[in-house]
Amino acid sequence: LQLVESGGGSMQPGGSLTLSCASRLSVDFAAIGWFRQAPGKEREGGACVGGSGGWKNYADAVKDRFTISRDNAKNTVYLQMDRLKLEDTAVYYCAACTVEDGMIVKNFGPWGQGTQVTVSS
């Protein structure tokens, strides 16, 4: 499972960005999620979407602001980020995901190179 993230950039607080996670091969068999790692902090799961797109899970920090979706015809998973906050600044990664003890964690496969999101005024 090889996923490539894109779409990061710089944005002011309150703005929006959409990240993309693309695969050359079909990934409709796997739940795919978005994770992030802020400077000096551990990587954390933010959102996870089931293989068909019907099931979604969000971390409290991004719930009601971020929306995860997928287009299996394009082998792509998206993260729509609205009402961005300073604390959303991080490198964002996508990977196969699952939920353990209420937390979104990586299920299998390698990490990609990530895409940087910087929120600043």
PDB file of all heavy atoms in Angstrom, residues 80-95:
ATOM      1  N   GLN A  80     -11.036  17.575   3.728  1.00  0.00           N
ATOM      2  CA  GLN A  80     -11.455  18.964   3.647  1.00  0.00           C
ATOM      3  C   GLN A  80     -11.314  19.583   5.033  1.00  0.00           C
ATOM      4  O   GLN A  80     -11.949  19.128   5.980  1.00  0.00           O
ATOM      5  CB  GLN A  80     -12.905  19.070   3.160  1.00  0.00           C
ATOM      6  CG  GLN A  80     -13.491  20.478   3.198  1.00  0.00           C
ATOM      7  CD  GLN A  80     -12.858  21.401   2.190  1.00  0.00           C
ATOM      8  OE1 GLN A  80     -12.565  20.994   1.076  1.00  0.00           O
ATOM      9  NE2 GLN A  80     -12.638  22.650   2.570  1.00  0.00           N
ATOM     10  N   MET A  81     -10.468  20.598   5.141  1.00  0.00           N
ATOM     11  CA  MET A  81     -10.203  21.228   6.425  1.00  0.00           C
ATOM     12  C   MET A  81     -10.760  22.645   6.407  1.00  0.00           C
ATOM     13  O   MET A  81     -10.305  23.479   5.617  1.00  0.00           O
ATOM     14  CB  MET A  81      -8.696  21.246   6.705  1.00  0.00           C
ATOM     15  CG  MET A  81      -8.044  19.878   6.637  1.00  0.00           C
ATOM     16  SD  MET A  81      -6.322  19.887   7.155  1.00  0.00           S
ATOM     17  CE  MET A  81      -5.625  20.885   5.856  1.00  0.00           C
ATOM     18  N   ASP A  82     -11.744  22.888   7.236  1.00  0.00           N
ATOM     19  CA  ASP A  82     -12.364  24.205   7.344  1.00  0.00           C
ATOM     20  C   ASP A  82     -12.103  24.796   8.721  1.00  0.00           C
ATOM     21  O   ASP A  82     -11.770  24.093   9.666  1.00  0.00           O
ATOM     22  CB  ASP A  82     -13.876  24.089   7.110  1.00  0.00           C
ATOM     23  CG  ASP A  82     -14.218  23.581   5.725  1.00  0.00           C
ATOM     24  OD1 ASP A  82     -13.585  24.052   4.753  1.00  0.00           O
ATOM     25  OD2 ASP A  82     -15.109  22.726   5.606  1.00  0.00           O
ATOM     26  N   ARG A  83     -12.280  26.114   8.796  1.00  0.00           N
ATOM     27  CA  ARG A  83     -12.102  26.846  10.069  1.00  0.00           C
ATOM     28  C   ARG A  83     -10.778  26.439  10.718  1.00  0.00           C
ATOM     29  O   ARG A  83     -10.719  26.072  11.900  1.00  0.00           O
ATOM     30  CB  ARG A  83     -13.282  26.584  10.994  1.00  0.00           C
ATOM     31  CG  ARG A  83     -14.624  26.977  10.374  1.00  0.00           C
ATOM     32  CD  ARG A  83     -15.749  27.103  11.376  1.00  0.00           C
ATOM     33  NE  ARG A  83     -15.950  25.924  12.193  1.00  0.00           N
ATOM     34  CZ  ARG A  83     -16.620  24.854  11.797  1.00  0.00           C
ATOM     35  NH1 ARG A  83     -17.131  24.801  10.600  1.00  0.00           N
ATOM     36  NH2 ARG A  83     -16.774  23.831  12.628  1.00  0.00           N
ATOM     37  N   LEU A  84      -9.721  26.525   9.927  1.00  0.00           N
ATOM     38  CA  LEU A  84      -8.407  26.135  10.401  1.00  0.00           C
ATOM     39  C   LEU A  84      -7.972  26.976  11.595  1.00  0.00           C
ATOM     40  O   LEU A  84      -8.273  28.172  11.692  1.00  0.00           O
ATOM     41  CB  LEU A  84      -7.383  26.262   9.278  1.00  0.00           C
ATOM     42  CG  LEU A  84      -7.429  25.138   8.229  1.00  0.00           C
ATOM     43  CD1 LEU A  84      -6.693  25.544   6.965  1.00  0.00           C
ATOM     44  CD2 LEU A  84      -6.846  23.857   8.800  1.00  0.00           C
ATOM     45  N   LYS A  85      -7.242  26.318  12.491  1.00  0.00           N
ATOM     46  CA  LYS A  85      -6.729  26.962  13.695  1.00  0.00           C
ATOM     47  C   LYS A  85      -5.199  26.905  13.689  1.00  0.00           C
ATOM     48  O   LYS A  85      -4.605  26.070  12.983  1.00  0.00           O
ATOM     49  CB  LYS A  85      -7.244  26.246  14.946  1.00  0.00           C
ATOM     50  CG  LYS A  85      -8.756  26.205  15.080  1.00  0.00           C
ATOM     51  CD  LYS A  85      -9.152  25.438  16.326  1.00  0.00           C
ATOM     52  CE  LYS A  85     -10.662  25.394  16.510  1.00  0.00           C
ATOM     53  NZ  LYS A  85     -11.058  24.641  17.728  1.00  0.00           N
ATOM     54  N   LEU A  86      -4.583  27.745  14.470  1.00  0.00           N
ATOM     55  CA  LEU A  86      -3.122  27.741  14.574  1.00  0.00           C
ATOM     56  C   LEU A  86      -2.610  26.351  14.951  1.00  0.00           C
ATOM     57  O   LEU A  86      -1.584  25.901  14.434  1.00  0.00           O
ATOM     58  CB  LEU A  86      -2.663  28.759  15.609  1.00  0.00           C
ATOM     59  CG  LEU A  86      -2.962  30.226  15.304  1.00  0.00           C
ATOM     60  CD1 LEU A  86      -2.561  31.106  16.487  1.00  0.00           C
ATOM     61  CD2 LEU A  86      -2.252  30.687  14.046  1.00  0.00           C
ATOM     62  N   GLU A  87      -3.344  25.685  15.831  1.00  0.00           N
ATOM     63  CA  GLU A  87      -2.903  24.375  16.305  1.00  0.00           C
ATOM     64  C   GLU A  87      -3.080  23.251  15.285  1.00  0.00           C
ATOM     65  O   GLU A  87      -2.703  22.109  15.540  1.00  0.00           O
ATOM     66  CB  GLU A  87      -3.622  23.995  17.609  1.00  0.00           C
ATOM     67  CG  GLU A  87      -5.128  24.092  17.540  1.00  0.00           C
ATOM     68  CD  GLU A  87      -5.651  25.414  18.091  1.00  0.00           C
ATOM     69  OE1 GLU A  87      -5.041  26.476  17.806  1.00  0.00           O
ATOM     70  OE2 GLU A  87      -6.683  25.378  18.800  1.00  0.00           O
ATOM     71  N   ASP A  88      -3.629  23.576  14.119  1.00  0.00           N
ATOM     72  CA  ASP A  88      -3.710  22.589  13.045  1.00  0.00           C
ATOM     73  C   ASP A  88      -2.394  22.504  12.258  1.00  0.00           C
ATOM     74  O   ASP A  88      -2.250  21.641  11.389  1.00  0.00           O
ATOM     75  CB  ASP A  88      -4.850  22.927  12.081  1.00  0.00           C
ATOM     76  CG  ASP A  88      -6.219  22.793  12.727  1.00  0.00           C
ATOM     77  OD1 ASP A  88      -6.410  21.841  13.524  1.00  0.00           O
ATOM     78  OD2 ASP A  88      -7.090  23.635  12.439  1.00  0.00           O
ATOM     79  N   THR A  89      -1.473  23.393  12.549  1.00  0.00           N
ATOM     80  CA  THR A  89      -0.174  23.367  11.881  1.00  0.00           C
ATOM     81  C   THR A  89       0.531  22.044  12.178  1.00  0.00           C
ATOM     82  O   THR A  89       0.737  21.678  13.338  1.00  0.00           O
ATOM     83  CB  THR A  89       0.700  24.536  12.361  1.00  0.00           C
ATOM     84  OG1 THR A  89       0.107  25.763  11.944  1.00  0.00           O
ATOM     85  CG2 THR A  89       2.109  24.432  11.784  1.00  0.00           C
ATOM     86  N   ALA A  90       0.887  21.320  11.115  1.00  0.00           N
ATOM     87  CA  ALA A  90       1.498  19.996  11.269  1.00  0.00           C
ATOM     88  C   ALA A  90       1.842  19.450   9.891  1.00  0.00           C
ATOM     89  O   ALA A  90       1.429  19.999   8.872  1.00  0.00           O
ATOM     90  CB  ALA A  90       0.531  19.031  11.975  1.00  0.00           C
ATOM     91  N   VAL A  91       2.589  18.360   9.886  1.00  0.00           N
ATOM     92  CA  VAL A  91       2.743  17.569   8.672  1.00  0.00           C
ATOM     93  C   VAL A  91       1.620  16.532   8.690  1.00  0.00           C
ATOM     94  O   VAL A  91       1.427  15.835   9.695  1.00  0.00           O
ATOM     95  CB  VAL A  91       4.111  16.875   8.607  1.00  0.00           C
ATOM     96  CG1 VAL A  91       4.222  16.041   7.343  1.00  0.00           C
ATOM     97  CG2 VAL A  91       5.233  17.910   8.657  1.00  0.00           C
ATOM     98  N   TYR A  92       0.889  16.452   7.602  1.00  0.00           N
ATOM     99  CA  TYR A  92      -0.259  15.550   7.499  1.00  0.00           C
ATOM    100  C   TYR A  92       0.117  14.334   6.656  1.00  0.00           C
ATOM    101  O   TYR A  92       0.704  14.468   5.576  1.00  0.00           O
ATOM    102  CB  TYR A  92      -1.448  16.282   6.897  1.00  0.00           C
ATOM    103  CG  TYR A  92      -2.120  17.206   7.882  1.00  0.00           C
ATOM    104  CD1 TYR A  92      -1.495  18.384   8.290  1.00  0.00           C
ATOM    105  CD2 TYR A  92      -3.362  16.892   8.432  1.00  0.00           C
ATOM    106  CE1 TYR A  92      -2.094  19.231   9.222  1.00  0.00           C
ATOM    107  CE2 TYR A  92      -3.971  17.733   9.363  1.00  0.00           C
ATOM    108  CZ  TYR A  92      -3.329  18.892   9.757  1.00  0.00           C
ATOM    109  OH  TYR A  92      -3.924  19.731  10.678  1.00  0.00           O
ATOM    110  N   TYR A  93      -0.250  13.174   7.160  1.00  0.00           N
ATOM    111  CA  TYR A  93       0.035  11.904   6.512  1.00  0.00           C
ATOM    112  C   TYR A  93      -1.247  11.110   6.326  1.00  0.00           C
ATOM    113  O   TYR A  93      -2.190  11.252   7.113  1.00  0.00           O
ATOM    114  CB  TYR A  93       0.977  11.052   7.377  1.00  0.00           C
ATOM    115  CG  TYR A  93       2.281  11.696   7.747  1.00  0.00           C
ATOM    116  CD1 TYR A  93       2.385  12.531   8.862  1.00  0.00           C
ATOM    117  CD2 TYR A  93       3.433  11.455   7.007  1.00  0.00           C
ATOM    118  CE1 TYR A  93       3.583  13.114   9.218  1.00  0.00           C
ATOM    119  CE2 TYR A  93       4.642  12.034   7.363  1.00  0.00           C
ATOM    120  CZ  TYR A  93       4.709  12.855   8.466  1.00  0.00           C
ATOM    121  OH  TYR A  93       5.910  13.433   8.808  1.00  0.00           O
ATOM    122  N   CYS A  94      -1.269  10.262   5.311  1.00  0.00           N
ATOM    123  CA  CYS A  94      -2.376   9.326   5.195  1.00  0.00           C
ATOM    124  C   CYS A  94      -1.824   7.904   5.261  1.00  0.00           C
ATOM    125  O   CYS A  94      -0.668   7.656   4.908  1.00  0.00           O
ATOM    126  CB  CYS A  94      -3.180   9.547   3.930  1.00  0.00           C
ATOM    127  SG  CYS A  94      -2.275   9.366   2.382  1.00  0.00           S
ATOM    128  N   ALA A  95      -2.663   7.002   5.724  1.00  0.00           N
ATOM    129  CA  ALA A  95      -2.272   5.607   5.870  1.00  0.00           C
ATOM    130  C   ALA A  95      -3.525   4.792   6.129  1.00  0.00           C
ATOM    131  O   ALA A  95      -4.580   5.343   6.488  1.00  0.00           O
ATOM    132  CB  ALA A  95      -1.282   5.441   7.023  1.00  0.00           C
TER     133      ALA A  95
END
